[in-house]
Amino acid sequence: MMHHKEHKLKLVLLVFIFLGFHPIYAQNIWTGALHRPDGHSIVFNFELTTRQNKPVIYLLNGKDKFLVDGIHFQNDSVFIQMPVFESQFKAKVVAPNLWQGTWRKGTATIPVELPFTATIHPNKFQQTVPAVANLSGRWQVTFTRPNGTLRPAIAEFAQKDNNITGTFLTPSGDYRYLSGIVVRDTLKLSTFDGSHAYLFNAIAVNDTLLENGFFYSDVTATEKFTAVKNSKAHLPDSIAATYMKPGETTLRFTFPELNHQPVSLQDSAFRNKVVVLQIMGSWCPNCMDETQFLSKFYDAYKNQGVAVIALAYELSTDFNRSKASLEKFKQRFNVQYPILITGAAVNDSLKTQKTLPALQAIKVFPTLIFIGKDGKVAKIDTGFYGPGSGVYYKKFQEEFIHTIEYLLQQNSKNDE
């Protein structure tokens, strides 16, 4: 029978192995799995290594390598806190190559929770036989909601042998970095970023037709989809579009910053400046990508008469809960512009009326509102496409900078 001290020593040695101090285990690539009650597992890869002599994880999704430094080993357990979202893992170290536990994510209602396992393995999907179809290209996609209504999307895939990467683009944004395989005629794609937990399965009838598609999200959400390859596939603009109400030209608001200091669009700090308003939430992965872009943009343009204000719609009306999540967001992306807590929860059907009543409706997150030096709303841009969308992200950046440069050339209200 193992004595208590021997048992504790064994656990300590296991932890040292996981930290990469054993050459056999250095730079480990693991496969994590979130096990849904319907039997489908959302799988993802991560690298367990060290950074500045501390354990870290990198989530691996296609070209994206996302740092997670909130990892802590204690006795026979490992605890992982995601750096941005209200998302964490708690697992038991069953063996040097096996963790078992749970993943938990905060929501606007009750938290979601799924069983979680992780094993040392570089391939999240098994590559058993060659692919019989090449799915590279642009696809017109139709998702079918559980209530039978349809929603359009575009898919962009790049395939080499069995391996495939890409994303889906919807009127409200993209599904970020997806990666997977094509085995014979079966497409399998997945991603996990701490908030998104997605799995896509479909059958390739040939190089130009996908049928029997299923999109599994988080704990129970499931949608069917079909897709047809179409190099000219496009999305309708009107679905996610947001407009000012008739007769309205400007926005008026006063909300507290994270330090409780009230900030208003009418403050002197924003007078005669081009102002970019970001409608966002710390729970939103696309908002994370957009914030990363805006933070770098602001650093480059803040001395040229440009201001940025983020308006946060969080999972609850609890100021301290919202502040805790937004502080992580702010630190992660080195945000130097004000982040304001609107006090309206994202699932509040009256959030627009309560916060920005001059708008017809806030439909999607994120949404950008460009305000000219005259204080009037010049443009509202919905449907952000991030770095996982390739050429679409490049187009977004070009149009964003073009809008800013155009507005900077306009006269202020004091010059008229």
Side-chain angles (χ1 to χ4, degrees), residues 27-334:
Q27 304 299 320
N28 284 322
I29 304 298
W30 291 60
T31 291
L34 304 173
H35 304 286
R36 288 166 47 111
D38 61 7
H40 294 282
S41 294
I42 300 174
V43 292
F44 59 96
N45 285 129
F46 64 89
E47 178 185 354
L48 175 62
T49 184
T50 58
R51 186 172 182 260
Q52 298 175 347
N53 296 320
K54 294 182 179 180
V56 297
I57 279 174
Y58 290 93
L59 294 178
L60 307 175
N61 292 297
K63 297 179 180 179
D64 191 39
K65 191 173 181 178
F66 187 73
L67 172 65
V68 179
D69 54 7
I71 178 171
H72 173 64
F73 289 93
Q74 182 177 345
N75 297 329
D76 63 347
S77 299
V78 57
F79 303 89
I80 304 169
Q81 175 64 54
M82 296 304 297
V84 177
F85 311 112
E86 293 184 18
S87 170
Q88 55 274 141
F89 292 89
K90 180 172 66 175
K92 183 178 181 180
V93 178
V94 179
N97 64 345
L98 176 62
W99 299 348
Q100 292 180 343
T102 57
W103 170 61
R104 183 182 176 90
K105 183 179 77 168
T107 72
T109 54
I110 60 173
V112 300
E113 191 169 293
L114 284 174
F116 160 73
T117 58
T119 58
I120 296 178
H121 202 284
N123 300 317
K124 61 182 180 179
F125 297 112
Q126 297 302 309
Q127 300 184 20
T128 52
V129 294
V132 298
N134 190 309
L135 307 182
S136 297
R138 181 184 296 188
W139 296 73
Q140 190 79 56
V141 183
T142 302
F143 287 98
T144 303
R145 298 184 181 94
N147 64 4
T149 59
L150 306 180
R151 63 183 186 93
I154 293 172
E156 288 279 355
F157 298 141
Q159 180 182 341
K160 184 177 182 181
D161 300 324
N162 285 95
N163 298 312
I164 187 168
T165 58
T167 196
F168 289 84
L169 300 97
T170 73
S172 61
D174 67 274
Y175 287 171
R176 305 190 76 245
Y177 301 90
L178 303 175
S179 63
I181 59 170
V182 180
V183 176
R184 199 187 302 273
D185 62 350
T186 301
L187 167 67
K188 297 181 178 182
L189 285 165
S190 69
T191 189
F192 176 76
D193 55 24
S195 181
H196 282 152
Y198 290 168
L199 171 68
F200 298 85
N201 292 337
I203 300 299
V205 178
N206 49 48
D207 285 2
T208 62
L209 178 62
L210 290 175
E211 290 187 342
N212 201 32
F214 287 89
F215 168 33
Y216 305 101
S217 173
D218 285 354
V219 179
T220 60
T222 304
E223 290 184 347
K224 296 180 180 180
F225 73 90
T226 58
V228 177
K229 189 177 288 188
N230 179 359
S231 62
K232 297 181 180 179
H234 68 282
L235 291 171
D237 296 327
S238 59
I239 294 177
T242 297
Y243 303 98
M244 298 289 287
K245 288 180 178 177
E248 299 286 358
T249 60
T250 190
L251 299 173
R252 295 184 179 276
F253 59 79
T254 301
F255 301 121
E257 207 172 349
L258 304 187
N259 61 3
H260 296 271
Q261 184 70 27
V263 174
S264 170
L265 183 59
Q266 280 66 47
D267 289 345
S268 59
F270 308 113
R271 192 170 299 147
N272 300 330
K273 287 187 176 182
V274 173
V275 180
V276 180
L277 290 183
Q278 181 198 27
I279 308 298
M280 54 82 71
S282 63
W283 47 270
C284 163
N286 287 134
C287 300
M288 176 178 68
D289 289 332
E290 188 178 79
T291 298
Q292 188 170 31
F293 166 78
L294 287 175
S295 184
K296 293 178 180 178
F297 158 78
Y298 181 68
D299 285 344
Y301 275 78
K302 62 185 176 183
N303 295 324
Q304 299 185 39
V306 175
V308 178
I309 305 172
L311 302 182
Y313 294 76
E314 292 298 289
L315 296 175
S316 79
T317 57
D318 185 312
F319 186 92
N320 289 331
R321 177 184 174 185
S322 300
K323 177 182 176 180
S325 294
L326 290 164
E327 287 282 10
K328 292 194 297 182
F329 219 78
K330 183 176 181 177
Q331 181 178 353
R332 178 69 182 225
F333 302 111
N334 190 31

Side-chain angles (χ1 to χ4, degrees), residues 376-392:
K376 296 180 180 179
V377 172
K379 180 181 179 182
I380 301 177
D381 190 6
T382 56
F384 168 76
Y385 299 128
S389 66
V391 295
Y392 295 88

